[in-house]
Tab-separated table of all heavy atoms in Angstrom:
chain	number	residue	atom	x	y	z
B	357	ARG	N	73.381	93.734	100.635
B	357	ARG	CA	72.612	93.436	101.844
B	357	ARG	C	73.527	93.488	103.064
B	357	ARG	O	73.212	94.075	104.093
B	357	ARG	CB	71.980	92.050	101.709
B	357	ARG	CG	71.082	91.662	102.854
B	357	ARG	CD	70.021	90.638	102.420
B	357	ARG	NE	70.537	89.620	101.527
B	357	ARG	CZ	70.034	89.354	100.318
B	357	ARG	NH1	68.991	90.000	99.859
B	357	ARG	NH2	70.579	88.418	99.552
B	358	ARG	N	74.711	92.882	102.941
B	358	ARG	CA	75.607	92.864	104.109
B	358	ARG	C	76.213	94.236	104.372
B	358	ARG	O	76.444	94.606	105.520
B	358	ARG	CB	76.694	91.809	103.913
B	358	ARG	CG	76.082	90.422	103.863
B	358	ARG	CD	77.039	89.360	104.286
B	358	ARG	NE	76.568	88.055	103.820
B	358	ARG	CZ	77.190	86.923	104.042
B	358	ARG	NH1	78.322	86.910	104.713
B	358	ARG	NH2	76.711	85.786	103.595
B	359	ILE	N	76.484	94.980	103.316
B	359	ILE	CA	76.988	96.344	103.524
B	359	ILE	C	75.934	97.169	104.267
B	359	ILE	O	76.244	97.909	105.205
B	359	ILE	CB	77.373	97.005	102.183
B	359	ILE	CG1	78.620	96.337	101.600
B	359	ILE	CG2	77.607	98.510	102.366
B	359	ILE	CD1	78.995	96.828	100.208
B	360	MET	N	74.681	96.993	103.856
B	360	MET	CA	73.586	97.719	104.521
B	360	MET	C	73.487	97.310	105.994
B	360	MET	O	73.404	98.152	106.889
B	360	MET	CB	72.251	97.413	103.819
B	360	MET	CG	72.123	97.980	102.418
B	360	MET	SD	71.946	99.773	102.404
B	360	MET	CE	70.307	99.939	103.096
B	361	LEU	N	73.518	96.004	106.217
B	361	LEU	CA	73.403	95.484	107.578
B	361	LEU	C	74.545	95.999	108.459
B	361	LEU	O	74.338	96.468	109.581
B	361	LEU	CB	73.406	93.946	107.517
B	361	LEU	CG	73.241	93.158	108.804
B	361	LEU	CD1	71.969	93.556	109.531
B	361	LEU	CD2	73.218	91.655	108.491
B	362	GLY	N	75.763	95.923	107.919
B	362	GLY	CA	76.942	96.341	108.683
B	362	GLY	C	76.961	97.840	108.925
B	362	GLY	O	77.334	98.299	110.015
B	363	THR	N	76.575	98.605	107.926
B	363	THR	CA	76.539	100.065	108.079
B	363	THR	C	75.532	100.439	109.167
B	363	THR	O	75.802	101.270	110.033
B	363	THR	CB	76.147	100.733	106.737
B	363	THR	OG1	77.064	100.296	105.729
B	363	THR	CG2	76.175	102.243	106.836
B	364	TYR	N	74.388	99.762	109.111
B	364	TYR	CA	73.355	100.018	110.120
B	364	TYR	C	73.856	99.650	111.519
B	364	TYR	O	73.690	100.424	112.474
B	364	TYR	CB	72.103	99.212	109.757
B	364	TYR	CG	70.949	99.390	110.708
B	364	TYR	CD1	70.236	100.588	110.765
B	364	TYR	CD2	70.574	98.352	111.556
B	364	TYR	CE1	69.181	100.741	111.636
B	364	TYR	CE2	69.508	98.500	112.436
B	364	TYR	CZ	68.810	99.696	112.478
B	364	TYR	OH	67.770	99.850	113.343
B	365	ALA	N	74.489	98.490	111.625
B	365	ALA	CA	74.938	98.021	112.942
B	365	ALA	C	75.987	98.946	113.565
B	365	ALA	O	76.135	98.991	114.777
B	365	ALA	CB	75.494	96.603	112.833
B	366	LEU	N	76.722	99.680	112.725
B	366	LEU	CA	77.755	100.587	113.248
B	366	LEU	C	77.256	102.018	113.393
B	366	LEU	O	77.946	102.867	113.947
B	366	LEU	CB	78.963	100.608	112.304
B	366	LEU	CG	79.871	99.380	112.287
B	366	LEU	CD1	80.899	99.524	111.169
B	366	LEU	CD2	80.575	99.204	113.629
B	367	SER	N	76.051	102.297	112.886
B	367	SER	CA	75.654	103.701	112.784
B	367	SER	C	75.250	104.263	114.144
B	367	SER	O	74.929	103.529	115.077
B	367	SER	CB	74.538	103.871	111.754
B	367	SER	OG	73.368	103.241	112.217
B	368	ALA	N	75.288	105.572	114.189
B	368	ALA	CA	75.013	106.277	115.443
B	368	ALA	C	73.664	105.828	115.989
B	368	ALA	O	72.685	105.735	115.271
B	368	ALA	CB	75.005	107.781	115.178
B	369	GLY	N	73.628	105.520	117.254
B	369	GLY	CA	72.376	105.119	117.869
B	369	GLY	C	72.199	103.606	117.920
B	369	GLY	O	71.433	103.099	118.717
B	370	TYR	N	72.894	102.877	117.039
B	370	TYR	CA	72.727	101.426	117.024
B	370	TYR	C	74.017	100.685	117.357
B	370	TYR	O	74.015	99.486	117.586
B	370	TYR	CB	72.200	100.963	115.656
B	370	TYR	CG	70.886	101.609	115.334
B	370	TYR	CD1	70.819	102.687	114.459
B	370	TYR	CD2	69.719	101.175	115.957
B	370	TYR	CE1	69.612	103.317	114.208
B	370	TYR	CE2	68.509	101.802	115.707
B	370	TYR	CZ	68.459	102.869	114.836
B	370	TYR	OH	67.273	103.487	114.595
B	371	HIS	N	75.126	101.410	117.330
B	371	HIS	CA	76.442	100.819	117.537
B	371	HIS	C	76.500	99.936	118.786
B	371	HIS	O	76.923	98.789	118.736
B	371	HIS	CB	77.482	101.941	117.602
B	371	HIS	CG	78.868	101.481	117.887
B	371	HIS	ND1	79.310	101.200	119.165
B	371	HIS	CD2	79.909	101.240	117.066
B	371	HIS	CE1	80.571	100.816	119.105
B	371	HIS	NE2	80.963	100.831	117.852
B	372	ASP	N	76.036	100.471	119.899
B	372	ASP	CA	76.152	99.722	121.149
B	372	ASP	C	75.199	98.532	121.198
B	372	ASP	O	75.554	97.456	121.653
B	372	ASP	CB	75.893	100.645	122.349
B	372	ASP	CG	77.053	101.607	122.564
B	372	ASP	OD1	77.970	101.629	121.703
B	372	ASP	OD2	77.048	102.340	123.570
B	373	ALA	N	73.971	98.766	120.710
B	373	ALA	CA	72.962	97.710	120.769
B	373	ALA	C	73.343	96.537	119.869
B	373	ALA	O	73.040	95.383	120.190
B	373	ALA	CB	71.606	98.252	120.350
B	374	TYR	N	73.989	96.808	118.758
B	374	TYR	CA	74.300	95.729	117.829
B	374	TYR	C	75.779	95.358	117.825
B	374	TYR	O	76.171	94.274	118.223
B	374	TYR	CB	73.854	96.100	116.411
B	374	TYR	CG	72.345	96.068	116.258
B	374	TYR	CD1	71.643	97.208	115.898
B	374	TYR	CD2	71.638	94.897	116.478
B	374	TYR	CE1	70.261	97.177	115.747
B	374	TYR	CE2	70.259	94.853	116.333
B	374	TYR	CZ	69.582	95.996	115.967
B	374	TYR	OH	68.230	95.962	115.828
B	375	TYR	N	76.615	96.272	117.375
B	375	TYR	CA	78.018	95.920	117.178
B	375	TYR	C	78.716	95.589	118.505
B	375	TYR	O	79.344	94.538	118.654
B	375	TYR	CB	78.751	97.053	116.451
B	375	TYR	CG	80.210	96.755	116.236
B	375	TYR	CD1	80.609	95.804	115.310
B	375	TYR	CD2	81.196	97.390	116.992
B	375	TYR	CE1	81.945	95.498	115.122
B	375	TYR	CE2	82.524	97.095	116.811
B	375	TYR	CZ	82.892	96.147	115.880
B	375	TYR	OH	84.213	95.836	115.713
B	376	LEU	N	78.567	96.476	119.463
B	376	LEU	CA	79.242	96.257	120.751
B	376	LEU	C	78.702	95.010	121.443
B	376	LEU	O	79.463	94.209	122.002
B	376	LEU	CB	79.049	97.488	121.638
B	376	LEU	CG	79.866	97.471	122.927
B	376	LEU	CD1	81.357	97.533	122.622
B	376	LEU	CD2	79.476	98.645	123.835
B	377	LYS	N	77.396	94.829	121.362
B	377	LYS	CA	76.782	93.634	121.945
B	377	LYS	C	77.398	92.375	121.324
B	377	LYS	O	77.743	91.419	122.020
B	377	LYS	CB	75.270	93.670	121.676
B	377	LYS	CG	74.488	92.499	122.243
B	377	LYS	CD	74.131	92.744	123.683
B	377	LYS	CE	73.398	91.552	124.291
B	377	LYS	NZ	73.053	91.791	125.689
B	378	ALA	N	77.551	92.392	120.008
B	378	ALA	CA	78.095	91.229	119.308
B	378	ALA	C	79.533	90.943	119.756
B	378	ALA	O	79.918	89.783	119.917
B	378	ALA	CB	78.039	91.457	117.800
B	379	LEU	N	80.323	91.999	119.993
B	379	LEU	CA	81.704	91.786	120.450
B	379	LEU	C	81.723	91.160	121.845
B	379	LEU	O	82.606	90.370	122.180
B	379	LEU	CB	82.481	93.104	120.483
B	379	LEU	CG	82.815	93.779	119.162
B	379	LEU	CD1	83.819	94.908	119.408
B	379	LEU	CD2	83.385	92.815	118.134
B	380	LYS	N	80.752	91.510	122.650
B	380	LYS	CA	80.679	90.935	124.000
B	380	LYS	C	80.283	89.464	123.916
B	380	LYS	O	80.831	88.622	124.635
B	380	LYS	CB	79.685	91.719	124.851
B	380	LYS	CG	80.197	93.105	125.195
B	380	LYS	CD	79.169	93.899	125.974
B	380	LYS	CE	79.822	95.118	126.620
B	380	LYS	NZ	78.975	95.674	127.677
B	381	VAL	N	79.344	89.187	123.022
B	381	VAL	CA	78.937	87.792	122.847
B	381	VAL	C	80.121	86.968	122.330
B	381	VAL	O	80.304	85.809	122.686
B	381	VAL	CB	77.723	87.707	121.903
B	381	VAL	CG1	77.388	86.262	121.558
B	381	VAL	CG2	76.521	88.400	122.543
B	382	ARG	N	80.936	87.610	121.528
B	382	ARG	CA	82.131	86.933	121.023
B	382	ARG	C	83.022	86.468	122.182
B	382	ARG	O	83.579	85.371	122.153
B	382	ARG	CB	82.898	87.914	120.132
B	382	ARG	CG	83.684	87.243	119.066
B	382	ARG	CD	84.296	88.207	118.098
B	382	ARG	NE	85.315	87.462	117.355
B	382	ARG	CZ	86.124	87.990	116.471
B	382	ARG	NH1	86.059	89.263	116.187
B	382	ARG	NH2	87.016	87.235	115.854
B	383	THR	N	83.133	87.309	123.174
B	383	THR	CA	83.896	86.939	124.371
B	383	THR	C	83.302	85.691	125.018
B	383	THR	O	84.040	84.771	125.415
B	383	THR	CB	83.881	88.105	125.386
B	383	THR	OG1	84.407	89.260	124.751
B	383	THR	CG2	84.690	87.782	126.626
B	384	LEU	N	81.974	85.641	125.105
B	384	LEU	CA	81.317	84.495	125.738
B	384	LEU	C	81.550	83.208	124.936
B	384	LEU	O	81.767	82.135	125.514
B	384	LEU	CB	79.811	84.764	125.882
B	384	LEU	CG	79.426	85.953	126.769
B	384	LEU	CD1	77.923	86.191	126.734
B	384	LEU	CD2	79.903	85.707	128.209
B	385	ILE	N	81.537	83.344	123.624
B	385	ILE	CA	81.751	82.165	122.770
B	385	ILE	C	83.174	81.646	122.943
B	385	ILE	O	83.403	80.453	123.089
B	385	ILE	CB	81.467	82.538	121.295
B	385	ILE	CG1	79.976	82.843	121.130
B	385	ILE	CG2	81.904	81.432	120.344
B	385	ILE	CD1	79.647	83.670	119.909
B	386	ARG	N	84.100	82.563	122.969
B	386	ARG	CA	85.497	82.192	123.163
B	386	ARG	C	85.676	81.493	124.522
B	386	ARG	O	86.379	80.487	124.626
B	386	ARG	CB	86.355	83.462	123.097
B	386	ARG	CG	87.779	83.314	123.549
B	386	ARG	CD	88.689	82.957	122.415
B	386	ARG	NE	90.090	83.098	122.789
B	386	ARG	CZ	91.096	82.967	121.930
B	386	ARG	NH1	90.851	82.700	120.671
B	386	ARG	NH2	92.335	83.105	122.323
B	387	ARG	N	85.019	82.021	125.541
B	387	ARG	CA	85.121	81.423	126.886
B	387	ARG	C	84.578	80.005	126.914
B	387	ARG	O	85.155	79.139	127.574
B	387	ARG	CB	84.332	82.265	127.885
B	387	ARG	CG	85.153	83.367	128.491
B	387	ARG	CD	84.367	83.986	129.643
B	387	ARG	NE	84.664	85.390	129.731
B	387	ARG	CZ	83.867	86.292	130.297
B	387	ARG	NH1	82.691	85.919	130.817
B	387	ARG	NH2	84.230	87.544	130.362
B	388	ASP	N	83.466	79.786	126.216
B	388	ASP	CA	82.907	78.425	126.113
B	388	ASP	C	83.995	77.448	125.665
B	388	ASP	O	84.190	76.393	126.257
B	388	ASP	CB	81.794	78.369	125.050
B	388	ASP	CG	80.438	78.813	125.581
B	388	ASP	OD1	80.360	79.193	126.761
B	388	ASP	OD2	79.474	78.763	124.793
B	389	PHE	N	84.679	77.833	124.609
B	389	PHE	CA	85.711	76.942	124.065
B	389	PHE	C	86.864	76.781	125.052
B	389	PHE	O	87.368	75.683	125.259
B	389	PHE	CB	86.233	77.486	122.726
B	389	PHE	CG	85.322	77.204	121.560
B	389	PHE	CD1	84.606	78.220	120.957
B	389	PHE	CD2	85.179	75.908	121.049
B	389	PHE	CE1	83.771	77.962	119.875
B	389	PHE	CE2	84.349	75.639	119.963
B	389	PHE	CZ	83.635	76.676	119.373
B	390	GLU	N	87.271	77.879	125.659
B	390	GLU	CA	88.403	77.804	126.612
B	390	GLU	C	88.080	76.827	127.732
B	390	GLU	O	88.947	76.062	128.166
B	390	GLU	CB	88.711	79.195	127.178
B	390	GLU	CG	89.525	80.042	126.224
B	390	GLU	CD	89.580	81.523	126.608
B	390	GLU	OE1	88.956	81.913	127.631
B	390	GLU	OE2	90.230	82.279	125.868
B	391	GLN	N	86.816	76.884	128.180
B	391	GLN	CA	86.447	75.991	129.278
B	391	GLN	C	86.536	74.523	128.869
B	391	GLN	O	87.105	73.719	129.589
B	391	GLN	CB	85.051	76.347	129.797
B	391	GLN	CG	85.142	77.431	130.873
B	391	GLN	CD	83.887	78.266	130.999
B	391	GLN	OE1	82.814	77.851	130.558
B	391	GLN	NE2	84.024	79.429	131.591
B	392	VAL	N	85.998	74.168	127.701
B	392	VAL	CA	86.071	72.741	127.330
B	392	VAL	C	87.495	72.332	126.978
B	392	VAL	O	87.903	71.210	127.269
B	392	VAL	CB	85.103	72.336	126.186
B	392	VAL	CG1	83.661	72.517	126.605
B	392	VAL	CG2	85.398	73.057	124.911
B	393	PHE	N	88.252	73.258	126.407
B	393	PHE	CA	89.620	72.891	126.045
B	393	PHE	C	90.523	72.711	127.267
B	393	PHE	O	91.631	72.184	127.154
B	393	PHE	CB	90.227	73.898	125.063
B	393	PHE	CG	89.796	73.670	123.645
B	393	PHE	CD1	89.278	74.686	122.873
B	393	PHE	CD2	89.908	72.399	123.077
B	393	PHE	CE1	88.878	74.466	121.564
B	393	PHE	CE2	89.505	72.158	121.768
B	393	PHE	CZ	88.982	73.206	121.006
B	394	ALA	N	90.045	73.128	128.406
B	394	ALA	CA	90.810	72.859	129.626
B	394	ALA	C	90.817	71.350	129.898
B	394	ALA	O	91.727	70.823	130.535
B	394	ALA	CB	90.198	73.615	130.805
B	395	ALA	N	89.794	70.660	129.399
B	395	ALA	CA	89.677	69.233	129.707
B	395	ALA	C	89.746	68.322	128.477
B	395	ALA	O	89.846	67.112	128.611
B	395	ALA	CB	88.369	68.980	130.458
B	396	TYR	N	89.657	68.915	127.291
B	396	TYR	CA	89.639	68.082	126.074
B	396	TYR	C	90.693	68.551	125.080
B	396	TYR	O	91.006	69.736	124.996
B	396	TYR	CB	88.242	68.117	125.428
B	396	TYR	CG	87.207	67.505	126.344
B	396	TYR	CD1	86.536	68.286	127.278
B	396	TYR	CD2	86.948	66.131	126.308
B	396	TYR	CE1	85.619	67.728	128.152
B	396	TYR	CE2	86.038	65.557	127.183
B	396	TYR	CZ	85.374	66.362	128.116
B	396	TYR	OH	84.494	65.795	128.982
B	397	ASP	N	91.206	67.584	124.314
B	397	ASP	CA	92.233	67.907	123.325
B	397	ASP	C	91.650	68.536	122.067
B	397	ASP	O	92.316	69.306	121.378
B	397	ASP	CB	93.000	66.637	122.939
B	397	ASP	CG	93.745	66.064	124.126
B	397	ASP	OD1	94.573	66.790	124.703
B	397	ASP	OD2	93.478	64.896	124.501
Side-chain angles (χ1 to χ4, degrees):
Chain B
R357 184 154 41 236
R358 295 206 198 180
I359 290 174
M360 292 289 290
L361 182 56
T363 304
Y364 181 71
L366 287 173
S367 67
Y370 301 101
H371 177 279
D372 288 7
Y374 288 120
Y375 179 72
L376 188 65
K377 181 85 183 180
L379 291 191
K380 290 177 165 197
V381 173
R382 209 173 165 184
T383 303
L384 298 175
I385 293 160
R386 168 91 168 187
R387 271 190 213 157
D388 276 2
F389 281 109
E390 280 167 359
Q391 273 154 19
V392 296
F393 279 129
Y396 296 89
D397 296 302

